[in-house]
Amino acid sequence: MEINGLPLELWRLILSYLRLPDLGRCSLVCRAWYELILSLDNTRWRQLCLGCIECRHPNWPNQPDVEPWSWREAFKQHYLASKTWTKNSQDFESSNCFYLFRRKKDRRVLCVGPGCEFDNLRSALLSASAYDRIVLLPGVYEEQSEIFLKAPVEIMGKGKLGDVALLVSFDQHCPTMRLCNLIFMPAWFTPVVYKTTSGHVQFDNCNFENSQLQIHAPGTCQVKFCTFNQSSINVHSVAICLLENCEFVGSENASVTVEGCPSLDRNWACKHLSMLAKSRSVLLQTSEAPFCNMTKLESQGHLPIRNTRTCEIVVGEDLGNIFPASQTQGIPKRGCEKESDVIGNPSMMHKEEAVTIDTDSSDSELSISSENEDDDESVYKLPYQAHSLSHMLAKVIHGRLQTNGLTALQNDYELKTLPQELQKDKESQSLASAVQGCLIQKCLFRDGKGGIFVCSQGQARVEGSIFRNLTYAVRCIQNSKIIMLKNDIHHCKTSGIFLRLGAGGLIAENNIHSNCEAGVDIRKGANPLILCNRIHSGLRSGIVVLGNGKGVIRSNQIYGNKEAGIYILYNGNPLVSGNHIFQGLAAGIAVNENGRGQITENVIRENQWGGADIRRGGDPVLRSNLICCGYSDGVVVGERGKGLIEGNTIYGNKGCGVWVMSSSLPHITNNQIGHNSIYGIAVFCHKDDANDYLANQGGNENFNDEGEAANWENDLESEDERLTSRRPISVALVESNNINHNGAAGLYVKSSEALNIIGNAIHANHDCGVAVFQSSQLTRIASNSVSCNSLGGVLVEAECRVELRGNGIYDNSSHGVTSKGDGLITENDILGNQGCGLKLCQSADMKVSKNRIHSFRGYGIEMLDQTKALVQDNLIFQGKSKKTILQQVSSTEGCVLQNNKLLAFKKR
């Protein structure tokens, strides 16, 4: 009959009454009939799928309200999976076509129950032949001793799930079995309801109550649409075990235990289970957006950035060889090229160059060659060559952070997706494609003690499952491997995932949140790959690495945790790279108690405490990170903290850019530290200002593992295994940093320990460039460029010991150098500052030699009060006020001036 003979709706109504075999025959008539059968997806195919007693809703138990994309395809997959147990063909290898005839005939259906041929299950099994079906009528069936299964049969309960209950213990000794629509309860003599040591067993739509299921190699199993109520599965060295769409509730221990290395001895079912697992792997489902895409939470909001202006630093010609090559000097010479001329015509930049630098609004007033100056002032201004660090300031020009600058900078740190991560890492590729051990897909673990326990070199793969309201979700120990892909792990009473004792594996694209302890806990030599996860909203830390734990932590979003996003301690040494760590209620990354780690190219932002917090022997490498917009300091180096802090951008934090305690020993180099609300870098004594900060920004994590003592001391690696490529230092070192536009002093020192400040560009800060308020040990300030700061260039308070050598101190709004302390000032350029070039007052005791000093309005050198000074071999240029040296001290015997050269300026 032609389809056009009746309306389509009427055809669908007629076909909705057909059984499955009839639908199959109709689909073979022609293409039009085939498409008509396919159009019944939401009607007849849905009825067939939900009405099958061998399965449940395709998305049960995790998403029972979400319909599958095709009911027909879901029903087809159920049907094919239910036949896996019959694919044992080892008895028919003599003929390639024998499969057409096997089990077609002589397959009986044996009924057990009141009024049937068999009264009990044992008698039916004794009478059954291979591949017979035993149907149990509603009732409770109990056996007083263990039943040995010697012939492959199918045991099925009749009626609804729950109508047939078995109080039986089975021991399988045949190649294959299938059990369906049954309730399993333990017999009086053992909690084990089923055990197999060689064959394959398939469970469909069963419930297990207070019982255990044991699978030993080379046996295998496939468990689908089953509920385990206070029950568990124990898998021992099994090559492949497949658990799909199961629910585990109320376990008193682990719901699934995987023990032993997967056996090389495989039975007939391994290849079929492997194909099923690969066909349903979440890695093949490209329709779902990966977790590691930027979330709305992370992309919202634009942080205010200060408006910036520019000033010119005019660079003159070389003036001779009075100073070393690094300290050039010049004959006064006018150089007032406008910025637009220099930038617009690069050919003009030969002997005289102009460099434009981002500053605040005051910077333009400090220009030694401003176009607003009158001719008289421009004549008396002294041009000078750029300090050797001027190239660092030029970076601020060309990398100008304007309104959208921070967004553009974060785009450079864009999260990688899991396919990108897998593409560049062969180890992660190998792990992601591994299909062996216990395979768990789309299961629900809830309201119990443990989810999955993997031990003794066991292997497990968990995909698309949910773990909630457990004591822990996954525990992997003893050189075992766990592969976790796209799972949801939340509200665990301790940590979500534990890895111990050399455990490893791949943890990727999971949503781990709202756990009472850490989201992921790594210790005792564990070394997993943690990629592209969302780890958030934890009541403690996001990830904890301790006790010689390692691991690679890449491209994760870690946010909203109550304690540190990543906490490294007790000799933990992970590789942390390319993560976004934001909006935590404590530190972004905390490294304490001899923790280490390579922390590179992360975005650490908007955390309540320090972006990175290093204390008590912590010694990480913190390199090339963006640490910005924090509600406290960018980097905190607390008591006994160490580490290499290199190449980071530390920007827009409400506290200091870098906060250092004087008892620490950091190496801070090549960082961009700008637009922070207080100091760029601050060094404090632990007895004073450090009390204003919390003693432990990382948190108070409990690192005892369920009563187990954290014996991390026995796991520590020797010091010889530490990285040898780092330059050893004996004094805290701040070198080659660009420190600009901070809300207070660029570098603030209140320290009881020695400190070296070398080769930094300290520019346009809202207070002094360098302020030394306490320095009982020597503070060396050498080869820095200190320019355009809102107050003086360098301030040294009383009783401080400093050495200023080879610095360029230019265009600051007050005095170039103000000193009330002791020490040495030598070989510096102190030029173009609004106040005096060098002011010595109160009880200062300084040696001032071989400096080049110029002030337009004030004195070149001003000495007041009880100052003691040796001033010799300096070159002092006369400004418009004709002031050179003021000596107004109580005792002139304490001041010695000799061999200074004074240069007057004449108009042409």
Side-chain angles (χ1 to χ4, degrees), residues 105-120:
K105 299 178 180 179
D106 301 325
R107 182 179 181 187
R108 298 179 301 163
V109 176
L110 309 179
C111 293
V112 179
C116 296
E117 183 181 358
F118 300 98
D119 294 331
N120 58 69

Side-chain angles (χ1 to χ4, degrees), residues 761-778:
I762 304 171
H763 173 76
N765 298 286
H766 285 218
D767 202 288
C768 297
V770 179
V772 184
F773 273 72
Q774 179 178 328
S775 177
S776 55
Q777 301 292 326
L778 180 64

Side-chain angles (χ1 to χ4, degrees), residues 425-585:
D425 190 335
K426 291 184 178 180
E427 181 184 359
S428 59
Q429 284 182 26
S430 175
L431 287 170
S433 61
V435 180
Q436 59 179 344
C438 186
L439 312 178
I440 301 170
Q441 297 178 342
K442 298 181 181 180
C443 292
L444 172 62
F445 297 80
R446 64 179 178 89
D447 304 316
K449 181 176 182 181
I452 301 170
F453 178 50
V454 190
C455 61
S456 303
Q457 303 182 39
Q459 292 191 29
R461 181 186 180 100
V462 189
E463 302 180 71
S465 297
I466 294 176
F467 300 79
R468 69 168 186 252
N469 298 321
L470 303 166
T471 300
Y472 65 87
V474 175
R475 185 177 179 87
C476 184
I477 65 172
Q478 296 169 344
N479 299 299
S480 300
K481 286 186 179 180
I482 183 78
I483 300 166
M484 301 196 67
L485 302 172
K486 292 190 176 182
N487 302 285
D488 199 339
I489 301 168
H490 60 94
H491 292 96
C492 293
K493 296 180 179 62
T494 59
S495 296
I497 301 174
F498 288 89
L499 296 113
R500 302 281 187 279
L501 300 172
L506 173 64
I507 300 170
E509 287 199 332
N510 301 283
N511 186 14
I512 304 171
H513 65 96
S514 307
N515 297 291
C516 293
E517 298 283 346
V520 182
D521 187 309
I522 305 168
R523 64 179 82 185
K524 295 185 179 179
N527 189 20
L529 283 168
I530 302 176
L531 308 178
C532 303
N533 301 281
R534 289 168 54 203
I535 304 173
H536 61 99
S537 308
L539 300 185
R540 288 203 165 174
S541 298
I543 299 176
V544 170
V545 186
L546 69 154
N548 204 33
K550 298 178 183 177
V552 176
I553 303 169
R554 287 202 308 258
S555 299
N556 301 281
Q557 296 182 60
I558 303 172
Y559 60 93
N561 296 288
K562 196 170 183 179
E563 296 186 358
I566 298 177
Y567 203 173
I568 306 169
L569 67 168
Y570 298 142
N571 221 50
N573 189 19
L575 173 62
V576 181
S577 177
N579 304 282
H580 285 202
I581 304 169
F582 58 100
Q583 296 180 356
L585 301 182

